[in-house]
Amino acid sequence: MTSRDSEKDTDYAAEVAAEQAYADGLFARLDDEIAQARARLDEVQANVDPANPKAEALVQRETEYHGLNERLDRLALAQLGLVFGRIDVEDPTGDGDNPVAGAEGLDRRYIGRMGLDAREDNYRTLLLDWRAPAARPFYLATTAHPEGVRTRRHIRMRGREVTGVDDERLSGEAAAELPAEQAASLRAGVGGEAALYEAMQAARTGRMSSIVETIQREQDQIIRDPTRGVLVVEGGPGTGKTAVALHRVAYLLYTWREQLSRSGVLIVGPNRVFLDYISHVLPELGETGVVLSTVGELYPGVRPVAEEPMLGREIKGSEEMVTVLREAVRDLQVVPGEARELRIGSLTLTVEPAMVKTARTRARRSRRPHNEARGAFAESLITQLAEQMAQLIGADPLGGENLLGAADVDQLHDDLAEEPVVRDLVEELWPRLTPTGVLAGLLSSRAAVDSAARAYDEETRAALLREDGEAWTASDAALLDELAELLGEAGERDDDPEEKAERRRLEAAQAALDVLEGSAVTDNDDDQFDAEYLGAYDVLDAEALAARQEERDTRTTAERAAADRGWAYGHVVVDEAQELTPMEWRAVFRRCPARWMTLVGDIAQNGSPAGVDSWADTLEPFVGSRFRRHALSVNYRTPSEVMEVADELLSRIDPEAQPAEAIRSTGIPVRRLPAGTDPDEVAGDLRRAEPERSVAVVRPGSVGDLKGLEFDHVVVVDPDGVEQASPLGLQDLYVAVTRATRSLTLIG
């Protein structure tokens, strides 16, 4: 080793030690914040008198308790790589918090997963949250556009230990000394090569990694895009679409925290495996108030339990199902084929089909959902019955006008409305319906399907049928959601114990108010004027009083949103968005009335028979042409050796598609093994050679569960079989081969 090399090693060790000292100071402050939060949490838990729990005190306690727990979660998660970067930025005004010693006009900014200040030093910034505007040059700076950055340092950490640093000189004289290859990469917008290379070479663990340390310029522009409408992010395999979407969520929660903390964020993924894969990324970024769901689980309380043939998925995904479901509901609005007799006391009333038809027309013309139109149906039918009864009991024996007046007929109406036989008749002819009941009944009945889908051919009707109507599939969720819109609220049921309890609670509260009002002061010592007294009954109604006795809802925004079908989310992210069907898009857009969404996808990877062929056509019914598109152009994940195979498939899928540029190579060529080779043996060899790395074996029909995932080694069995397994088999094969981050083996 030369003396010059020795000096470099000594200088490098000194830089690492300096960063370790700085990190130790940050962790000391973080530990102090955690200790203070825990101490306050202990106080909150102890500061409640169980014998005298006041409602206001309980609410305040619960609010602070959950807030402290949330803060402790954020502080604990922030320790995972607390600080990862540093920039020295030009600061001509000298307003920066951390002037660089010996370098006039430079401000030093440390970048991390959360912000930390020195409160004792006028809140001087010690660590910038990566989402803060002042941190943005860390991601944007290149030699072509340095953004005022002289030096960018990537700080590598393992736990609380600084393991290394990598510097990039982006402006000034030192920038000209960069190796040509590194300078070219920086000019192209690929920054932090050492950190990026390390991240890309790391073994896949089965969980998605944060890219907060290695966000690139084109990714940062999407993450911080100020669009308050629909944003479409397109990109081929390996371009980081999902990571960009998740970091955008974290950025939006940071920038619009007050709004989104109340309304919540929904992330829709292609399958539960994918959601588990990404689940720890957002908490690691410091955000936990997010709902993760597949599109098949969007309807609360229903989970898919069965698979469905592709034809069934295609039909259920078609917007034509709106008509089929509407007809299925109308078929349950019954007009009897012949007259019915009702015995009311000593009288017999006749319910003619024409009377029911009149009531049905009245209800349908209200243009209200089925259950909410039930009142109009009952009102019309009972009015007709009351008039019939008036004719029977009020007829003048001498032939004069009816002896009953309008008030008498109204009383007959009210009496009939309470008659069990009348209520049973209304329930029979215009029943209260639930989405699950209607859909299960439709899909398990040949007669119901033939009637509701009478405008469609035999193949379509047959594809909708199944023996067990409640054997839910993923495509049923959107249909249940549509039915919920068609049916509306079910209304109060006489046999619903919760609604009975609610009525009793309100009745008890009203009784309490009645007692208060009855015992109000009536004596007045001053008879010169009428005194005014303000009692509880003047400022509090029964519902408000009853509400004071109910248990407060202490669930988080995410928990409440996940349980409420009608919840309006502040922002919605859809990953693998090209998979959604027209019916599923209707369900997703209902959950975001503000139309503030991030849609991430690649049409070339569409494996859904009713999925997206064109973003413009798909979004037009919801937002017209008012959406913005971004395209990611760099493939960071997939090796160039694998992309040679993938690009050939892409040219067959879409000859006009422009593949993303693969920037890494593993030097491992794609292996092609003969049919009959044991794939498990191949996978076993790969695992033994590199035990720390993941291996996936892909067979025909198994591609759907791989969407959005990545593995070090991928073994594809029978590529021709994968391609021929479905009308979209070529896209499935494209997805399968591009899951590999290190090597690809094709068998057959």
Side-chain angles (χ1 to χ4, degrees):
M1 178 183 294
T2 67
S3 60
R4 187 171 183 177
D5 290 336
S6 178
E7 288 176 7
K8 285 184 177 179
D9 288 345
T10 301
D11 291 344
Y12 182 79
E15 291 296 328
V16 171
E19 297 301 0
Q20 183 68 65
Y22 196 85
D24 289 343
L26 295 176
F27 276 111
R29 289 179 179 273
L30 184 64
D31 290 342
D32 185 55
E33 286 199 33
I34 291 174
Q36 291 181 34
R38 283 177 175 162
R40 178 56 189 157
L41 184 63
D42 291 341
E43 288 180 22
V44 169
Q45 290 176 300
N47 192 26
V48 173
D49 181 3
N52 185 29
K54 295 182 179 179
E56 291 79 1
L58 286 173
V59 172
Q60 184 177 356
R61 171 187 175 273
E62 289 297 324
T63 301
E64 188 171 6
Y65 173 82
H66 288 285
L68 286 166
N69 269 314
E70 184 180 342
R71 175 161 178 75
L72 281 168
D73 287 343
R74 288 202 303 269
L75 293 172
L77 289 164
Q79 298 184 65
L80 304 173
L82 176 63
V83 56
F84 53 78
R86 190 192 86 184
I87 50 176
D88 292 345
V89 186
E90 293 173 359
D91 180 26
T93 62
D95 293 332
D97 281 355
N98 302 286
V100 179
E104 187 176 351
L106 281 184
D107 181 41
R108 178 159 291 173
R109 303 173 188 171
Y110 280 87
I111 318 297
R113 297 178 187 278
M114 66 175 294
L116 286 173
D117 300 323
R119 298 181 183 180
E120 75 284 0
D121 189 8
N122 200 28
Y123 286 87
R124 181 171 62 89
T125 300
L126 301 175
L127 182 66
L128 274 171
D129 189 301
W130 69 274
R131 297 163 292 190
R136 194 174 189 192
F138 179 80
Y139 299 109
L140 294 184
T142 66
T143 52
H145 302 282
E147 307 290 336
V149 177
R150 292 279 184 88
T151 305
R152 172 169 53 206
R153 169 168 288 181
H154 291 268
I155 301 171
R156 300 195 301 275
M157 299 193 71
R158 183 181 296 112
R160 296 192 173 203
E161 178 189 0
V162 177
T163 60
V165 298
D166 299 290
D167 287 344
E168 297 167 313
R169 314 292 181 185
L170 303 179
S171 62
E173 294 181 4
E177 301 173 6
L178 284 173
E181 184 178 346
Q182 185 181 3
S185 293
L186 288 169
R187 284 194 296 272
V190 180
E193 279 196 321
L196 183 60
Y197 178 82
E198 184 172 329
M200 291 298 98
Q201 291 298 107
R204 269 46 192 176
T205 64
R207 283 193 166 185
M208 189 176 193
S209 300
S210 163
I211 64 166
V212 67
E213 302 96 332
T214 58
I215 292 170
Q216 299 299 305
R217 185 184 184 92
E218 70 173 6
Q219 296 173 328
D220 184 82
Q221 289 172 340
I222 296 170
I223 290 169
R224 301 175 194 259
D225 189 301
T227 298
R228 290 296 299 270
V230 173
L231 186 71
V232 175
V233 182
E234 297 179 281
T239 54
K241 298 185 299 296
T242 298
V244 166
L246 296 180
H247 287 68
R248 176 166 169 78
V249 168
Y251 171 75
L252 293 176
L253 284 166
Y254 174 85
T255 308
W256 301 93
R257 177 169 297 281
E258 184 175 352
Q259 175 183 344
L260 293 179
S261 64
R262 294 193 306 267
S263 58
V265 173
L266 170 66
I267 297 179
V268 179
N271 52 58
R272 181 48 59 181
V273 176
F274 171 83
L275 295 178
D276 292 339
Y277 175 64
I278 69 171
S279 61
H280 84 304
V281 175
L282 277 171
E284 184 180 322
L285 297 176
E287 305 302 344
T288 55
V290 176
V291 175
L292 299 176
S293 177
T294 67
V295 73
E297 297 171 341
L298 277 182
Y299 191 83
V302 172
R303 293 292 178 265
V305 296
E307 294 294 326
E308 188 162 40
M310 183 166 285
L311 179 58
R313 290 164 50 201
E314 182 176 7
I315 292 168
K316 287 183 178 179
S318 167
E319 198 168 5
E320 295 300 318
M321 282 302 300
V322 175
T323 300
V324 173
L325 296 175
R326 185 180 295 117
E327 290 302 314
V329 173
R330 291 169 72 91
D331 286 345
L332 297 172
Q333 298 165 354
V334 181
V335 173
E338 57 186 20
R340 301 272 294 277
E341 290 187 346
L342 287 184
R343 189 72 180 176
I344 307 294
S346 61
L347 295 177
T348 298
L349 302 180
T350 302
V351 181
E352 298 287 349
M355 295 168 60
V356 178
K357 192 171 183 179
T358 296
R360 185 181 69 176
T361 300
R362 169 82 177 275
R364 287 178 176 176
R365 284 180 177 172
S366 72
R367 300 194 178 279
R368 302 184 69 188
H370 171 89
N371 289 324
E372 296 171 26
R374 174 187 166 93
F377 175 84
E379 174 67 21
S380 176
L381 184 61
I382 293 171
T383 295
Q384 295 177 75
L385 290 172
E387 291 171 350
Q388 184 181 135
M389 178 177 278
Q391 291 296 324
L392 291 175
I393 64 177
D396 184 350
L398 301 177
E401 293 185 2
N402 195 289
L403 300 177
L404 301 182
D408 299 315
V409 177
D410 289 344
Q411 185 60 54
L412 291 176
H413 173 284
D414 294 345
D415 293 343
L416 283 171
E418 297 299 320
E419 287 286 342
V421 292
V422 174
R423 298 175 72 174
D424 290 345
L425 179 65
V426 171
E427 179 64 28
E428 176 188 347
L429 302 177
W430 195 283
R432 296 181 181 90
L433 299 175
T434 64
T436 52
V438 172
L439 189 59
L442 171 67
L443 300 181
S444 61
S445 167
R446 181 65 197 232
V449 167
D450 284 347
S451 178
R454 52 188 173 274
Y456 303 94
D457 59 31
E458 167 62 24
E459 184 180 27
T460 298
R461 297 197 300 273
L464 290 173
L465 284 169
R466 64 180 181 228
E467 186 174 345
D468 181 358
E470 294 186 346
W472 306 116
T473 68
S475 55
D476 289 334
L479 307 189
L480 290 168
D481 205 70
E482 192 71 34
L483 280 168
E485 294 293 308
L486 292 171
L487 298 179
E489 296 297 326
E492 183 181 303
R493 289 182 178 273
D494 294 332
D495 58 351
D496 188 329
E498 290 187 5
E499 290 180 353
K500 283 185 177 180
E502 173 71 6
R503 286 200 305 274
R504 286 195 297 269
R505 192 168 59 82
L506 288 173
E507 288 167 359
Q510 185 61 58
L513 287 177
D514 290 343
V515 170
L516 287 173
E517 186 173 8
S519 60
V521 176
T522 55
D523 295 331
N524 183 12
D525 293 335
D526 188 349
D527 56 4
Q528 300 300 314
F529 57 87
D530 293 330
E532 291 186 1
Y533 291 90
L534 188 65
Y537 46 83
D538 295 310
V539 296
L540 192 66
D541 60 18
E543 187 171 355
L545 179 60
R548 291 200 172 193
Q549 311 306 316
E550 66 180 318
E551 197 171 315
R552 303 290 181 178
D553 190 344
T554 59
R555 294 175 299 169
T556 65
T557 296
E559 290 169 335
R560 288 184 287 120
D564 185 353
R565 188 198 73 83
W567 189 273
Y569 289 92
H571 192 79
V572 170
V573 174
V574 182
D575 203 345
E576 301 293 343
Q578 74 280 351
E579 302 290 318
L580 267 61
T581 68
M583 290 299 293
E584 290 166 343
W585 281 116
R586 290 170 67 90
V588 167
F589 270 97
R590 284 191 194 105
R591 284 157 175 76
C592 192
R595 303 297 196 253
W596 190 14
M597 307 172 78
T598 301
L599 312 178
V600 181
D602 178 15
I603 292 176
Q605 297 185 62
N606 176 30
S608 171
V612 175
D613 292 324
S614 160
W615 296 115
D617 292 345
T618 295
L619 299 176
E620 194 278 332
F622 307 103
V623 294
S625 60
R626 301 182 304 280
F627 65 93
R628 187 173 184 182
R629 296 168 75 163
H630 281 285
L632 292 164
S633 62
V634 180
N635 184 338
Y636 304 96
R637 180 189 73 202
T638 318
S640 57
E641 295 85 356
V642 174
M643 285 310 299
E644 288 182 12
V645 175
D647 289 347
E648 190 277 328
L649 295 172
L650 180 61
S651 68
R652 293 168 57 195
I653 295 170
D654 182 0
E656 298 181 2
Q658 180 65 38
E661 179 185 359
I663 62 169
R664 59 185 290 263
S665 169
T666 60
I668 305 174
V670 175
R671 288 195 298 171
R672 299 180 185 270
L673 302 178
T677 302
D678 185 349
D680 294 327
E681 185 176 329
V682 173
D685 290 342
L686 290 168
R687 291 191 182 97
R688 283 187 288 274
E690 296 184 292
E692 75 282 6
R693 294 191 179 274
S694 60
V695 181
V697 177
V698 185
R699 295 177 171 86
S702 67
V703 180
D705 292 335
L706 300 179
K707 285 291 176 71
L709 307 183
E710 57 184 36
F711 305 88
D712 293 296
H713 303 289
V714 171
V715 180
V716 179
V717 182
D718 189 11
D720 290 340
V722 173
E723 182 177 340
Q724 295 164 12
S726 80
L728 296 170
L730 189 59
Q731 285 90 329
D732 288 341
L733 183 57
Y734 180 68
V735 169
V737 302
T738 55
R739 300 308 93 195
T741 66
R742 185 161 174 78
S743 80
L744 172 66
T745 302
L746 304 175
I747 298 178

